[in-house]
Amino acid sequence: MLQTPTASRLCKQPAGSFAVWSALLPHRSVLAQIGKLQRLASGTWTHLKAMDFSNAGMNANTIAVLSQGDWHLLKILVLSKNQFGAPGMEHFSHGRWPALATLELHHVGMSTSMMQHLLHATLACFSSLDLSENIMAKPACWAELVKADWPNLTHLDLSHNHLDTSFFGQLRNAQWPLIGSLDLLCIEFLATAQGQHEALQGIVSAM
């Protein structure tokens, strides 16, 4: 049974600490999810700096409700292992995330249109993005990624993906001047051995 924290419990957290709500909501109760999220999004969560909705059955409707909240101090948002598609990502892009620094989108079925919506989000403090294990993403999706204007991005996790070698050539043009960590663990190159060599050269040039 999910125990939703009260505002008073969250506000008792020491200043600067993380008040984390792990929202493991049951997949079968979409209406219950929406109701709980509406109450969460309409509340005043002074010290809420991190939310974990991984594997919570989030869909476009629940992402829409979440994005209506005033998350002025939220720094970490985990939406991994949910299938909310392009409509959900569009709702996210319209949300107010002035302090968001870390976004985890591990295994969300990332697509080209989802990536385009992500790029339209206003993320002034964005520094860390997890896009690992989105193996169905097409080369066009990753081509969109390098168009992102994220001047504060320092960490990008692309592990466990199928990546076309052209992506690594495009990395040279990415507007991420502070990038210092690029996770490519267990990636699968969609290329010949020569193409893989060229891709590695692209990585070296981009870093």
Side-chain angles (χ1 to χ4, degrees), residues 146 164-174 189 195 198-206:
V146 297
D164 187 87
T165 54
S166 62
F167 167 74
F168 296 100
Q170 295 163 353
L171 268 179
R172 302 173 187 176
N173 301 319
F189 286 108
E198 294 174 356
L200 290 173
Q201 287 182 321
I203 296 172
V204 172
S205 299

Side-chain angles (χ1 to χ4, degrees), residues 13-205:
Q13 298 291 331
S17 68
F18 283 91
V20 182
W21 183 40
S22 183
L24 299 178
L25 305 179
H27 290 228
R28 63 182 179 276
S29 56
V30 175
L31 292 178
Q33 283 181 308
I34 292 176
K36 289 174 181 175
L37 283 170
Q38 285 174 332
R39 292 193 292 274
L40 181 66
S42 62
T44 301
W45 305 90
T46 307
H47 294 94
L48 191 58
K49 296 184 179 180
M51 290 195 295
D52 184 354
F53 290 96
S54 56
N55 197 30
M58 299 286 280
N59 57 25
N61 293 329
T62 49
I63 293 292
V65 174
L66 178 68
S67 300
Q68 293 169 7
D70 183 14
W71 311 113
H72 59 285
L73 290 180
L74 189 70
K75 293 185 177 182
I76 299 175
L77 179 60
V78 182
L79 296 175
S80 298
K81 296 184 179 180
N82 291 292
Q83 303 296 312
F84 43 81
M89 191 58 74
E90 183 176 12
H91 289 306
F92 172 83
S93 71
H94 295 315
R96 297 182 298 277
W97 317 100
L100 190 65
T102 298
L103 178 62
E104 296 189 14
L105 297 171
H106 163 83
H107 194 55
V108 295
M110 184 61 66
S111 65
T112 304
S113 56
M114 288 178 70
M115 187 69 73
Q116 290 171 336
H117 289 307
L118 176 59
L119 267 58
H120 287 137
T122 302
L123 302 169
C125 297
F126 205 35
S127 63
S128 179
L129 176 61
D130 181 354
L131 290 172
S132 61
E133 206 169 313
N134 284 287
I135 61 174
M136 300 306 293
K138 304 297 183 184
C141 174
W142 304 121
E144 288 295 321
L145 173 63
V146 297
K147 298 177 184 178
D149 184 13
W150 294 325
N152 296 314
L153 189 69
T154 59
H155 173 73
L156 177 61
D157 188 346
L158 296 175
S159 61
H160 298 274
N161 280 307
H162 297 169
L163 301 175
D164 187 87
T165 54
S166 62
F167 167 74
F168 296 100
Q170 295 163 353
L171 268 179
R172 302 173 187 176
N173 301 319
Q175 300 301 306
W176 311 327
L178 300 181
I179 191 76
S181 174
L182 181 62
D183 192 338
L184 300 173
L185 178 69
C186 294
I187 63 168
E188 181 174 333
F189 286 108
L190 302 179
T192 61
Q194 176 61 29
Q196 292 182 25
H197 177 71
E198 294 174 356
L200 290 173
Q201 287 182 321
I203 296 172
V204 172
S205 299

